[in-house]
Amino acid sequence: MIIGDAAGGGTDQVSRVFVEYLTKKLGQTVVADNRPGANGVVAATELKNAAPDGYTFLYMVGSALMTQKLLHKNLPYDPVKDFEPVAAQPVAGLPLVTNPSVGAKTLEQFIDYARKNPTNIGTYGAGSLAHVGIAAMEKFYKVPFTPVHYRGSGLMWADLAAGSLHGGLGGGAGGLNVVNMGKGKAVAIQGRNRLLNFPDVPTFLELGGTDPGLSLMSVTGILAPVGVPDQILDTISTLSVEAGQDEATWQKFMTAGAEQRSIGRAEFKRWVREEGPVWTELTAGLGLTPT
């Protein structure tokens, strides 16, 4: 299982729950291989070069795959034609966590700080859900922020805890660790719902933030190279859905920040079809120059 995230990041944590479950159910070891970088391009390129024999899969953020054409001039693959969606874990909303040095205990206070001081916010990658959220904050609150992009949320949360960032927007599990250490304060949730790990933290929408980018959701999912037999894809899809239904495994998913049960091939394909245009539109508005 190629993982398009650095070790310790939110996507990495969720993927390893799948890896553990698949290893148990398949009766053979599934190896986790982290290949972060370039918004998933490094990992996806490795999948493109893999034989379609059912022994190599990719776990990455689905939105990253859909926006790569906007971010890179010469992709060595077609994000839609070369990969097959297999199963996915809907991603919970993202907490916005502020560093204590800012002195903000509410979103209003953080926005007020940013109006008076140059303010940066960490993300887990250019063009990511977090990046879209920061752009939406700038647009809605009419306040400039400097996004600082990392090769995964684990490194970003570590820097926020160390005081190198004013704020961070990323996976809930890492954000919760920062808050529990007393190194940050969660002030708002990007997404449609409050989070189980942050029940007292309101969404941007609850706080009046109506820009679509502040309520956008994503998924992390398993992809296969085109050409893998349907029987194999269906097997992995079925086992992945079962993983979300197994209560012991579901507890591990929730520890990693998940809040919804896993979905299979059909639902994942439908998500790509319906959400893809939304992601394309919002990412195009980020003003990123393809590299």
Side-chain angles (χ1 to χ4, degrees):
M1 186 75 74
I2 303 165
I3 302 172
D5 187 22
T11 300
D12 173 68
Q13 292 182 52
V14 176
S15 70
R16 288 177 183 273
V17 178
F18 276 116
V19 166
E20 180 182 349
Y21 189 83
L22 292 174
T23 292
K24 179 173 66 175
K25 290 296 182 178
L26 293 172
Q28 63 186 88
T29 302
V30 179
V31 178
D33 183 10
N34 294 86
R35 295 300 176 96
N39 197 38
V41 174
V42 173
T45 299
E46 184 164 339
L47 184 70
K48 173 62 171 63
N49 295 331
D53 55 10
Y55 283 93
T56 304
F57 293 86
L58 167 66
Y59 198 91
M60 69 179 291
V61 178
S63 55
L65 193 71
M66 293 188 293
T67 59
Q68 285 175 346
K69 281 189 174 181
L70 296 172
L71 304 176
H72 304 277
K73 293 179 181 177
N74 300 304
L75 285 176
Y77 52 83
D78 186 302
V80 176
K81 296 179 180 179
D82 289 334
F83 305 124
E84 180 71 25
V86 180
Q89 174 60 57
V91 172
L94 305 179
L96 171 63
V97 181
T98 65
N99 186 268
S101 65
V102 174
K105 296 184 178 181
T106 65
L107 176 63
E108 183 180 8
Q109 291 174 354
F110 183 62
I111 297 299
D112 185 60
Y113 176 89
R115 293 187 194 283
K116 302 172 183 177
N117 305 277
T119 304
N120 59 38
I121 303 177
T123 83
Y124 51 86
S128 65
L129 176 61
H131 191 186
V132 169
I134 293 172
M137 288 175 64
E138 288 188 312
K139 179 181 175 182
F140 185 80
Y141 297 107
K142 296 179 174 54
V143 178
F145 293 98
T146 300
V148 182
H149 305 302
Y150 288 76
R151 298 176 63 183
S153 59
L155 299 174
M156 182 270 289
W157 287 128
D159 271 5
L160 177 66
S164 300
L165 296 169
H166 298 112
L169 191 60
L176 183 63
N177 290 337
V178 173
V179 171
N180 287 342
M181 288 190 296
K183 300 294 186 179
K185 172 69 176 178
V187 297
I189 304 298
Q190 178 190 7
R192 301 186 187 98
N193 312 299
R194 292 194 182 195
L195 303 182
L196 294 175
N197 287 330
F198 297 91
D200 298 326
V201 181
T203 64
F204 278 99
L205 187 59
E206 289 179 88
L207 295 170
T210 56
D211 188 280
L214 295 174
S215 299
L216 192 64
M217 304 288 281
S218 183
V219 302
T220 58
I222 299 172
L223 300 163
V226 164
V228 174
D230 281 337
Q231 182 179 359
I232 295 176
L233 298 179
D234 287 338
T235 296
I236 300 300
S237 174
T238 299
L239 290 176
S240 297
V241 172
E242 288 179 0
Q245 297 170 342
D246 177 79
E247 286 307 314
T249 303
W250 174 239
Q251 292 298 318
K252 296 177 182 178
F253 275 128
M254 287 196 293
T255 299
E259 303 222 353
Q260 299 180 45
R261 306 281 177 162
S262 310
I263 60 177
R265 286 181 73 188
E267 288 183 85
F268 193 7
K269 286 183 177 181
R270 181 164 56 249
W271 182 86
V272 171
R273 183 174 63 251
E274 295 176 355
E275 295 287 327
V278 178
W279 275 98
T280 298
E281 178 183 354
L282 290 176
T283 307
L286 296 177
L288 295 171
T289 301
T291 56

